Amino acid sequence: MPPSKPTINEVDFCGQIASAVNLLVSQDRTAFSPVHEARIEGYGTGEGRRKRKDLRFRDLNGKLVLCGETKLPGTLASPAEVAREENLDFIKTHFLPDLLRDLADIISGRRRDWSMPPDDLFIRSLESHLDWPVQLASAYILERTERSKPFDLRVQGWMRGQDWTFVRTPHEAWVKAVDNMAKTLAYVWANRLIFYKALRARFPDLPRLGLRASAKTPDEALAAFNGFFQKAVDRSGDYEPLLMPEARDWATALVFHAPSALDAWRGFLRDIESVDFHKIPSDLVGRIFLKLIGP
């Protein structure tokens, strides 16, 4: 019988990280000040449901310094990878000390050069918001190419159509090619969705961008988004080549096929909704799109 793989859940992971943080702080409180301790703090409520509070860092007076929700990877990288001893050791001995020092320097004011240009900040934020849709799409495409030879050949044909150089073996190289495909498709959608939001700042009568809960299938999501794009083209009288409301590339909807994909895109839409394009200068919007085109 083969040995079982190590596993870990989010509560266990938070517990280990909290213990590691508290050990580091106890060894050198000055280096990591104002962080005094890490706690796992129960549950809260909101929006009609219970919400995890997960890991929280507090200062000497108990004031909240940093909080966030912990999510273990669930697609190409897995919780089993996080549970591996060498990975947990790296997190505890390298990642955490660096994170705590950076946090301490920023909060204390010792570091004042941590900010970045607003267009770079937006791109970095966008990339993090796209991680979930990209991982889901990549895992879906990879799994389908393993199960279906016709689908596999179609994917390879799409890659050749992009003038990509790729190989089917070794497996690691194929995983990289599929991941690149998922990123490309996701970035095309991100460009279109963000451009629609920027247009809405100019034409406020355009409907607010969103994906209703009633949209359950890839085709329904595709139809909903293309409906928004068509309205934007009609209202502006322009931008059809960018918004592509009639796009029929078979690969376009692949980013919506994974079981949780529509939820992932709803999350992306919620994230970009916080950006007020009324307050962003047009030259900055231009630089954002120039940087988005490359990836």
Side-chain angles (χ1 to χ4, degrees):
M1 184 176 179
S4 59
K5 292 183 179 179
T7 61
I8 195 168
N9 60 41
E10 290 166 7
V11 175
D12 293 337
F13 178 77
C14 284
Q16 291 199 41
I17 297 305
S19 296
V21 169
N22 291 333
L23 177 61
L24 286 168
V25 171
S26 69
Q27 293 171 342
D28 192 344
R29 295 193 182 279
T30 301
F32 303 125
S33 176
V35 175
H36 179 70
E37 67 172 333
R39 305 177 189 169
I40 302 175
E41 298 191 319
Y43 290 81
T45 59
E47 298 179 6
R49 58 180 178 176
R50 302 174 80 198
K51 286 188 174 180
R52 288 273 299 279
K53 292 181 179 177
D54 288 317
L55 193 63
R56 293 192 167 198
F57 296 170
R58 295 188 176 274
D59 65 13
L60 183 62
N61 298 314
K63 183 180 178 181
L64 185 64
V65 174
L66 178 69
C67 66
E69 184 176 359
T70 303
K71 287 294 184 185
L72 295 180
T75 52
L76 296 179
S78 71
E81 291 297 309
V82 179
R84 289 171 55 184
E85 184 176 348
E86 62 268 30
N87 290 337
L88 284 171
D89 182 66
F90 175 84
I91 292 171
K92 294 174 183 178
T93 60
H94 291 79
F95 174 78
L96 273 180
D98 289 346
L99 171 65
L100 292 174
R101 289 190 188 95
D102 287 346
L103 183 64
D105 286 348
I106 291 169
I107 293 176
S108 66
R110 292 191 292 269
R111 181 185 302 180
R112 299 183 181 277
D113 62 345
W114 58 275
S115 61
M116 62 180 69
D119 48 342
D120 287 340
L121 182 63
F122 182 88
I123 297 298
R124 289 281 296 273
S125 175
L126 175 71
E127 289 171 342
S128 69
H129 295 324
L130 280 174
D131 277 349
W132 188 18
V134 167
Q135 285 191 34
L136 290 174
S138 185
Y140 172 82
I141 296 169
L142 186 63
E143 190 269 340
R144 284 289 310 277
T145 60
E146 298 296 331
R147 287 196 299 110
S148 170
K149 188 64 175 177
F151 183 85
D152 185 5
L153 293 174
R154 204 173 191 189
V155 166
Q156 292 186 49
W158 185 91
M159 292 179 179
R160 292 189 189 95
Q162 311 303 310
D163 294 325
W164 291 359
T165 300
F166 65 92
V167 292
R168 192 63 176 80
T169 57
H171 183 68
E172 292 75 14
W174 179 241
V175 169
K176 185 176 181 180
V178 169
D179 193 51
N180 196 28
M181 178 180 184
K183 287 179 180 177
T184 299
L185 295 172
Y187 267 88
V188 169
W189 276 105
N191 268 292
R192 296 164 75 190
L193 294 169
I194 293 170
F195 194 77
Y196 178 90
K197 184 169 170 53
L199 277 180
R200 191 167 177 265
R202 180 179 170 191
F203 303 105
D205 54 318
L206 285 173
R208 181 175 177 175
L209 191 60
L211 188 59
R212 294 179 179 177
S214 58
K216 303 289 187 183
T217 68
D219 286 344
E220 289 171 345
L222 189 65
F225 286 137
N226 282 342
F228 284 112
F229 300 149
Q230 188 61 61
K231 286 182 173 68
V233 168
D234 294 341
R235 179 66 180 86
S236 66
D238 201 352
Y239 307 115
E240 186 168 0
L242 176 60
L243 291 170
M244 303 182 291
E246 297 299 323
R248 290 293 181 267
D249 177 10
W250 76 273
T252 298
L254 288 178
V255 295
F256 302 134
H257 276 265
S260 300
L262 298 190
D263 287 336
W265 283 101
R266 288 186 180 99
F268 174 78
L269 293 176
R270 286 194 297 270
D271 292 328
I272 66 171
E273 186 60 35
S274 62
V275 181
D276 187 352
F277 278 86
H278 289 92
K279 298 179 181 179
I280 300 180
S282 58
D283 63 324
L284 178 57
V285 175
R287 292 202 301 273
I288 288 172
F289 277 97
L290 283 174
K291 291 185 177 182
L292 279 174
I293 288 170

